[in-house]
Amino acid sequence: MRESTIMKIHYGTALAAVALVAVHILMRLTTGFVESLEYENVLANYKFVPYAAMLELILILLAVHGFNGLRVILLELKQGRMYEKAVSYGCLVAMFGLIAYGSNTIIRTNMGMT
Amino acid sequence: MALVSHIAEEQVSTPVSSSKSITLKIFRYNPEHDDSSKFMEFTVPYEKWTTVLEAILEVKKHFDHSVAVRYSCRQATCGSCGMMINGKPRLACFTKISELDSNVVTVEPMNNFPIIRDLAVKFERLFDTHQKIKPYLIRDDTELETDEREFLQTPEEVEQYIQFANCIKCGLCNSACPTMATDSSFVGPQALAQAYRYVADSRDKGKDSRLKIIDESHGIWRCHFAGSCSQVCPKGVDPAMGIQLLRGYLLGFRS
Ligand code: SF4
Ligand code: FES
C-alpha cells in the first residue's frame, strides 16, 4: 500500500476516533459519571446493539491508528530491510490480534455470554 | 603584479589591527586515528566584520594548519562551509563573530552527517537524496527539439517556486532536522524542498514521478513539522512549508 494511503487512513481514523470517543464520554454524562460505570450499566451498554457497534468501531479505529503510529515510531528508530518487514507485519498482526480480542469481549457480552 | 600584492596586503591587514579577541574552540577528530574527539582553544583577534570562517583560517595560518575545514566561495553561495557554531547550524562564511554576542565561539561539524575530519563532513547522503528527487525539469519537448523557444512563465508562476530555487545545498536544514538524527533512510528537508521546487514549476511535467519517489515509508510522511529546517536556512528557503505544500498534492488538496 502507498504510504500516502496509509497516512490518509491514519489521519481519518484519528478524526473519527476523536468524534466517537467524544460521544462515548458524553454518554457517561447521561447518568452520573460514577453511576454510568457500575457493572449493570456497563453491561446494559454492551447489550444495546447501536452502542456495542460504536464500541466496536472505536476499537477498530484506535487499533488501526495506534498500531500504525507504533509502526512509524519504530521505523524512525531503526532501519534495515528485515527489521522494517518485521515491524510492519508485527504491527499488522498485533492490530488484528487486538481487534479480535476486543471484538470477542464486545460480541460475547452483547449476546449475554458472560 | 600590483593586483597580487594588493590581495596579499588585504589578507594580513584584517585581523592584526584588531584590539578585540575571542576564544575559538575548534572540534578536533580524525575517525581514522582518534578514539575520541576533543576541543582545541585558540585566542583569535577579530573586527566587526570578521566571519567565523576567517577566524578558523587565521588559526590555520598562524597556529595549526592541520585543522580540516571545507570552504570555497566565502560569500554564502557554494554551500561548503556549514558547521555548528555555538550549537546552531550556520554557514561559517556568513556568520560574523560580532553578531554571536559571545566571547567564546565553539565550532563543531554539522549534526546528522558523518565526519571526514574535524569540521569537514561527508555530503554523500545529501547529494544522493537530492539526486533521487530528479532535480531538473522533466518534459517531453526539450529546447533541443524546439529551438528559439523559451519556456515562458508569468511572474505569478515564478512566485510559486522561486524561493526554493535559492537552495545552495549547504545541508544546514538536514543538520537541524530531528528526523534525520534517527532515521538514516529519511529523504530529508533539503531534497523535499527541492521536490516541491520542481513540482510547483509550471514548466515541469514530472510531478507524478516525483510524488511517487517521496511517497514511501522513509519519505515525506516522516516529517513531523518541527520547522527547525526553515529556521536555520541561510538563503531564506522554507523547507517546512514546501513539505506541507507537497503533502497537499498527496492528500488531494492541490493538483
Ligand atoms: S534549503 Fe536552505 S538550509 Fe537546506 S540545503 Fe538549501 S540552502 Fe541549505
Ligand atoms: S564558503 Fe561558500 S558558502 Fe561558505
Side-chain angles (χ1 to χ4, degrees), chain A residues 1 4-14 61 64-65 68:
Chain A
M1 200 185 283
S4 53
T5 311
I6 297 174
M7 293 312 285
K8 278 178 196 162
I9 295 170
H10 192 68
Y11 299 146
T13 50
L61 293 171
V64 171
H65 183 81
N68 184 52

Side-chain angles (χ1 to χ4, degrees), chain B residues 87-153:
Chain B
K88 196 177 164 194
R90 303 174 204 249
L91 291 179
C93 72
F94 198 50
T95 308
K96 289 197 206 81
I97 287 173
S98 53
E99 82 195 25
L100 290 172
D101 223 7
S102 168
N103 292 331
V104 180
V105 175
T106 307
V107 288
E108 297 163 87
M110 279 195 290
N111 290 338
N112 307 337
F113 286 85
I115 298 168
I116 300 172
R117 189 156 63 85
D118 302 337
L119 303 170
V121 294
K122 288 186 186 151
F123 267 5
E124 274 84 349
R125 184 177 167 197
L126 177 87
F127 293 148
D128 285 351
T129 50
H130 179 69
Q131 196 177 17
K132 188 176 163 184
I133 58 95
K134 304 188 179 176
Y136 40 82
L137 293 182
I138 300 173
R139 43 190 300 147
D140 294 334
D141 57 331
T142 67
E143 287 120 316
L144 291 175
E145 284 165 21
T146 54
D147 53 2
E148 290 185 312
R149 201 185 125 205
E150 286 179 88
F151 299 132
L152 294 177
Q153 288 185 302

Side-chain angles (χ1 to χ4, degrees), chain B residues 71-74 76-81 93:
Chain B
Y71 68 100
S72 179
C73 69
R74 302 193 193 195
T77 302
C78 70
S80 308
C81 66
C93 72

Side-chain angles (χ1 to χ4, degrees), chain B:
Chain B
M1 190 62 201
L3 181 67
V4 171
S5 65
H6 173 68
I7 290 171
E9 209 178 275
E10 210 175 62
Q11 278 176 347
V12 287
S13 67
T14 307
V16 172
S17 64
S18 176
S19 54
K20 292 176 287 182
S21 63
I22 46 116
T23 303
L24 183 63
K25 283 175 75 177
I26 303 183
F27 176 96
R28 304 300 306 267
Y29 179 57
N30 184 344
E32 283 178 13
H33 302 125
D34 303 338
D35 294 331
S36 61
S37 61
K38 63 176 185 228
F39 282 93
M40 284 176 78
E41 293 188 11
F42 304 91
T43 303
V44 186
Y46 76 99
E47 294 289 351
K48 206 166 73 183
W49 52 83
T50 309
T51 64
V52 173
L53 180 63
E54 284 166 341
I56 296 168
L57 296 180
E58 186 68 12
V59 167
K60 277 176 77 72
K61 196 163 154 192
H62 296 294
F63 303 112
D64 185 346
H65 67 90
S66 71
V67 172
V69 59
R70 180 167 42 215
Y71 68 100
S72 179
C73 69
R74 302 193 193 195
Q75 53 175 9
T77 302
C78 70
S80 308
C81 66
M83 61 185 71
M84 305 296 291
I85 300 175
N86 283 359
K88 196 177 164 194
R90 303 174 204 249
L91 291 179
C93 72
F94 198 50
T95 308
K96 289 197 206 81
I97 287 173
S98 53
E99 82 195 25
L100 290 172
D101 223 7
S102 168
N103 292 331
V104 180
V105 175
T106 307
V107 288
E108 297 163 87
M110 279 195 290
N111 290 338
N112 307 337
F113 286 85
I115 298 168
I116 300 172
R117 189 156 63 85
D118 302 337
L119 303 170
V121 294
K122 288 186 186 151
F123 267 5
E124 274 84 349
R125 184 177 167 197
L126 177 87
F127 293 148
D128 285 351
T129 50
H130 179 69
Q131 196 177 17
K132 188 176 163 184
I133 58 95
K134 304 188 179 176
Y136 40 82
L137 293 182
I138 300 173
R139 43 190 300 147
D140 294 334
D141 57 331
T142 67
E143 287 120 316
L144 291 175
E145 284 165 21
T146 54
D147 53 2
E148 290 185 312
R149 201 185 125 205
E150 286 179 88
F151 299 132
L152 294 177
Q153 288 185 302
T154 63
E156 289 75 27
E157 285 170 336
V158 174
E159 196 61 38
Q160 294 296 313
Y161 69 86
I162 193 65
Q163 69 144 302
F164 298 93
N166 290 335
C167 174
I168 56 170
K169 289 107 204 150
C170 63
L172 296 189
C173 52
N174 282 12
S175 175
C177 172
T179 307
M180 292 293 290
T182 58
D183 188 343
S184 61
S185 307
F186 180 45
V187 66
Q190 188 277 334
L192 288 171
Q194 289 314 292
Y196 178 74
R197 180 255 173 269
Y198 287 96
V199 165
D201 192 323
S202 60
R203 299 165 297 178
D204 183 74
K205 303 286 173 238
K207 185 179 89 187
D208 292 342
S209 71
R210 264 191 218 96
L211 291 182
K212 209 169 157 191
I213 293 166
I214 58 170
D215 188 12
E216 44 104 28
S217 61
H218 294 284
I220 187 165
W221 304 102
R222 297 296 81 84
C223 164
H224 298 290
F225 203 27
S228 38
C229 49
S230 302
Q231 280 193 358
V232 300
C233 179
K235 303 302 282 187
V237 180
D238 189 347
M241 183 177 79
I243 293 169
Q244 301 314 309
L245 293 172
L246 269 183
R247 277 184 178 170
Y249 289 103
L250 289 162
L251 291 172
F253 298 130
R254 293 167 72 94
S255 55

Side-chain angles (χ1 to χ4, degrees), chain A residues 44-55 106 110:
Chain A
N45 282 163
Y46 274 96
K47 291 208 162 124
F48 182 47
V49 174
Y51 202 92
M54 189 185 77
L55 289 178
I106 294 168
N110 179 264

